[in-house]
């Protein structure tokens, strides 16, 4: 059981950091949420991602990629980061004359056989690449620390033991922070984005980068008293996450200022806009039918306000 794994590690080390805790809860090979639990669930059983909700999302993305491909002469080679169960891949393959489609997915069990798609588990398996790198809800699925400010000092939440039960504790934090929480507030620091993107862009030579995720700017994240860390199980927000080890999605909001800054080191013409703006610009209404009221409201209002679209160009294009 995951509790045993975590308990043993805490006993050995004295405590585990929250990013290590989220890594184990989400990606432990036998008991992790993404590696063992969510893959069993039907689409949307714990939460819906936009491609799982409706093919309308894929239709809009397809239109955008086709437009960029024609404008800039970028070949329709697609690398999808964290492709999960492959919903977006299936939709895009149906709509676009894709040359190659590659999914990077670290959860072995999530990797379904989709005709026309090659699935790899790590960036090491990818050769030099030119084309489109796309992702939905990928950067929010990295492990993260929870940093709080109390009495003017920074602390990180760690997991320790009280008897045989796991509990939170605060330890002083002196590492770097792209965004400092205000007094009494909590900020989630995703771990591994910089290294991952460094490695990705060693392979990704030319093309277009596009990512969708929920999040905000430092200005709004640093004033959140209870932070943005959330645990979900079966569509319900739970507060006793220590009792749902490996059974709940542990997630937090993406700091788009931080992500944008990293990406600006690798891309040009970086742009950030709300999902609702992106969908309307790409003519989402043309893909919606009268039966799609719930889809329209979810995509345009609910996700539309919380999600952002970050894009940029890799390498030089004349057109
Ligand atoms: C929230 S899910 C989103 C799945 C899919 N993109 C969608 O929209 O339905 C995030 C996915 O990213 C995968 N993932 C997270 N970090 C990864 C990494 N470093 N390399 C490959 N896959 C990763 C997870 O296993 C999970 O399947």
């Amino acid at each position: 059981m995951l509790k045993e794994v975590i308990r043993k590690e805490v006993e050995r080390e004295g405590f585990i950091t929250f990013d290590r805790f989220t890594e184990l809860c989400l990606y432990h090979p036998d008991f992790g949420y993404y590696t063992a639990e969510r893959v069993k669930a039907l689409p949307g059983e714990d939460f819906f991602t936009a491609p799982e909700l409706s093919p309308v999302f894929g239709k809009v993305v397809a239109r955008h990629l086709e437009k960029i491909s024609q404008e800039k002469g970028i070949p329709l080679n697609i690398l999808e980061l964290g492709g999960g169960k492959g919903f977006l891949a299936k939709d895009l393959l149906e709509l676009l004359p894709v040359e190659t489609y590659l999914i990077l997915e670290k959860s072995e069990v999530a990797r379904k056989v989709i005709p026309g798609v090659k699935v790899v588990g790590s960036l090491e398996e990818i050769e030099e690449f030119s084309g489109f790198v796309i992702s939905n809800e990928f950067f929010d699925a990295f492990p993260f620390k929870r940093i709080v400010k109390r009495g003017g000092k920074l602390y990180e939440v760690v997991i320790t033991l009280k008897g045989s039960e796991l509990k939170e504790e605060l330890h002083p934090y002196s590492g770097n922070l792209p965004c400092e929480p205000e007094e009494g507030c909590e900020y989630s620091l995703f771990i591994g984005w910089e290294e991952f993107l460094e490695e990705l862009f060693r392979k990704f030579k030319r093309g277009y980068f596009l990512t969708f995720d929920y999040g905000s700017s430092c200005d709004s994240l640093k004033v959140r008293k209870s932070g943005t860390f959330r645990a979900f199980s079966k569509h319900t927000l739970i507060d006793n996450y220590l009792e749902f080890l490996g059974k709940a999605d542990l997630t937090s909001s993406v700091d788009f200022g931080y992500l944008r800054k990293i990406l600006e080191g690798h891309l040009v013409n970086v742009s950030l806009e709300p999902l609702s703006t992106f969908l309307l610009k790409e003519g989402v209404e043309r893909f919606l039918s009268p039966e799609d009221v719930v889809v329209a409201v979810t995509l345009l209002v609910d996700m539309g306000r919380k999600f952002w679209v970050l894009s940029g160009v890799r390498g030089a294009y004349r057109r």
Side-chain angles (χ1 to χ4, degrees):
M1 260 172 55
L2 192 53
K3 189 169 175 187
E4 272 313 287
V5 174
I6 295 176
R7 208 171 49 78
K8 283 205 179 110
E9 195 165 317
V10 173
E11 276 169 358
R12 206 172 52 240
E13 308 290 333
F15 66 92
I16 57 170
T17 58
F18 205 76
D19 50 308
R20 174 66 181 151
F21 174 75
T22 49
E23 166 109 57
L24 288 169
C25 289
L26 298 177
Y27 300 110
H28 184 279
D30 300 321
F31 309 118
Y33 176 73
Y34 281 117
T35 36
E37 184 68 17
R38 185 166 196 255
V39 285
K40 287 187 279 176
L42 295 170
E45 208 162 274
D46 285 336
F47 58 86
F48 287 109
T49 62
E52 288 174 358
L53 173 73
S54 157
V56 168
F57 179 74
K59 288 181 183 168
V60 179
V61 175
R63 192 190 135 71
H64 183 70
L65 299 187
E66 194 166 33
K67 202 173 69 185
I68 300 284
S69 169
Q70 282 164 6
E71 268 173 27
K72 300 193 183 299
I74 301 175
L76 278 167
N77 294 319
I78 299 177
L79 164 60
E80 186 184 349
L81 309 175
K85 296 177 187 172
F87 280 77
L88 184 58
K90 273 186 241 153
D91 292 338
L92 294 181
L93 281 162
E94 255 178 55
L95 296 160
L96 292 173
V98 171
E99 290 178 30
T100 58
Y101 203 112
L102 198 60
I103 286 186
L104 172 74
E105 175 50 64
K106 84 172 177 189
S107 162
E108 218 170 284
V109 255
R111 293 183 224 153
K112 297 266 171 342
V113 179
I114 303 167
V117 177
K118 182 176 173 203
V119 189
V120 295
S122 83
L123 282 174
E124 279 168 32
E125 297 169 62
I126 296 176
E127 317 254 297
E128 228 173 67
F129 177 85
S130 291
F132 291 86
V133 173
I134 63 171
S135 54
N136 181 60
E137 293 202 34
F138 175 69
F139 290 98
D140 72 71
F142 274 64
F144 55 93
K145 284 185 184 294
R146 291 165 57 200
I147 309 291
V148 299
K149 197 182 226 177
R150 303 276 187 272
K153 294 200 171 81
L154 292 173
Y155 297 89
E156 66 174 312
V157 175
V158 302
I159 301 296
T160 59
L161 275 168
K162 185 178 185 191
S164 63
E165 294 308 310
L166 298 173
K167 68 167 183 102
E168 290 182 1
E169 207 172 83
L170 293 184
H171 282 193
Y173 179 75
S174 56
N176 290 334
L177 260 193
C179 171
E180 194 168 311
E182 292 195 352
E183 182 59 33
C185 297
E186 178 176 316
Y187 171 80
S188 294
L189 173 62
F190 282 95
I191 303 296
W193 285 354
E194 294 183 40
E195 296 73 13
F196 176 87
L197 288 168
E198 195 63 47
E199 197 182 343
L200 172 73
F201 286 108
R202 269 200 292 274
K203 312 257 165 106
F204 179 27
K205 298 292 183 194
R206 277 161 64 81
Y208 184 74
F209 180 93
L210 176 69
T211 192
F212 300 86
D213 226 314
Y214 51 86
S216 215
S217 64
C218 175
D219 281 350
S220 92
L221 295 172
K222 70 182 182 188
V223 294
R224 300 283 291 259
K225 290 273 177 221
S226 48
T228 58
F229 161 56
R230 295 176 298 276
F232 288 98
S233 177
K234 310 227 180 308
H235 282 301
T236 311
L237 193 60
I238 51 171
D239 49 18
N240 51 345
Y241 68 93
L242 289 171
E243 287 163 31
F244 284 79
L245 303 173
K247 304 281 179 216
D249 180 29
L250 307 181
T251 187
S252 202
S253 295
V254 164
D255 175 351
F256 273 102
Y258 176 36
L259 186 57
R260 180 183 186 142
K261 193 159 174 253
I262 304 171
L263 285 168
E264 279 173 344
H266 302 283
L267 299 168
V268 294
N269 301 342
V270 174
S271 127
L272 181 65
E273 62 187 352
L275 177 64
S276 53
T277 308
F278 172 86
L279 293 171
L280 291 169
K281 251 176 32 191
E282 296 299 342
V284 65
E285 67 285 354
R286 276 180 297 141
F287 306 117
L288 290 163
S289 62
E291 300 82 62
D292 286 329
V293 176
V294 175
V295 171
V297 172
T298 309
L299 282 179
L300 282 164
V301 183
D302 184 20
M303 288 180 168
R305 282 182 302 127
K306 295 180 194 144
F307 276 65
W308 291 78
V309 187
L310 185 48
S311 64
V313 174
R314 174 75 173 160
Y317 280 93
R318 257 183 280 125
R319 279 190 275 163

